[in-house]
């Protein structure tokens, strides 16, 4: 009873002793409420962990995708630089004219 009074905010209030049956009932009620509160808190905590895991996996997936895209972009940049270098060499006709000029240059050879 003292614990219940403290939880309700009554400090130092005089509490008369309860009979054994009332004390057992009050203790069982308090234990039941603590159990329900504990299970509810555990469910909230487990859901938090699940959401945090999903968020972390999503973040890792996005990072991997971004890394793949950067690697692809770097490869394309290297290919473009290589093609430009080939187009600037002497005797490389048709390479700098684009699609149609390149096709015509290939047909003459």
């Amino acid at each position: 009873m003292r614990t219940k009074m403290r939880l309700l905010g009554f400090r130092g209030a005089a509490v008369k002793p309860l009979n054994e049956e009332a004390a057992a009932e009050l203790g069982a009620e308090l234990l039941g409420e603590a159990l329900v509160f504990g299970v509810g808190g555990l469910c909230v905590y487990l859901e938090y962990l699940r959401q945090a895991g999903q968020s972390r996996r999503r973040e890792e997936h996005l990072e991997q995708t971004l890394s793949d895209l950067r690697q692809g972009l770097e490869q394309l940049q290297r290919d473009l630089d290589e093609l430009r270098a080939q187009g600037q060499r002497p005797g490389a006709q048709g390479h700098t004219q684009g699609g149609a000029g390149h096709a015509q240059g290939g047909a003459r050879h």
Side-chain angles (χ1 to χ4, degrees), residues 7 26-44:
L7 289 174
L26 188 59
E29 183 180 323
L30 186 62
L31 182 62
E33 289 176 7
L35 182 66
V36 168
F37 182 76
V39 169
L42 181 63
C43 288
V44 168

Side-chain angles (χ1 to χ4, degrees), residues 4-90:
K4 185 175 182 179
M5 294 303 277
R6 284 187 191 130
L7 289 174
L8 292 174
F10 297 107
R11 305 264 184 229
V15 178
K16 64 180 183 176
L18 296 175
N19 62 20
E20 194 173 312
E21 185 179 320
E25 186 176 323
L26 188 59
E29 183 180 323
L30 186 62
L31 182 62
E33 289 176 7
L35 182 66
V36 168
F37 182 76
V39 169
L42 181 63
C43 288
V44 168
Y45 178 69
L46 291 175
E47 180 63 20
Y48 168 77
L49 289 179
R50 189 179 74 83
Q51 290 292 328
Q54 276 184 342
S55 178
R56 183 179 37 82
R57 284 189 297 276
R58 189 178 310 119
E59 181 93 15
E60 288 172 355
H61 177 67
L62 288 174
E63 286 292 328
Q64 181 62 41
T65 302
L66 185 60
S67 175
D68 292 346
L69 288 172
R70 284 182 179 151
Q71 288 175 357
L73 183 62
E74 288 171 1
Q75 181 62 41
L76 288 173
Q77 186 64 42
R78 285 190 298 267
D79 292 347
L80 180 62
D81 291 343
E82 184 180 318
L83 288 173
R84 284 181 178 161
Q86 287 177 0
Q88 293 176 358
R89 286 189 202 142

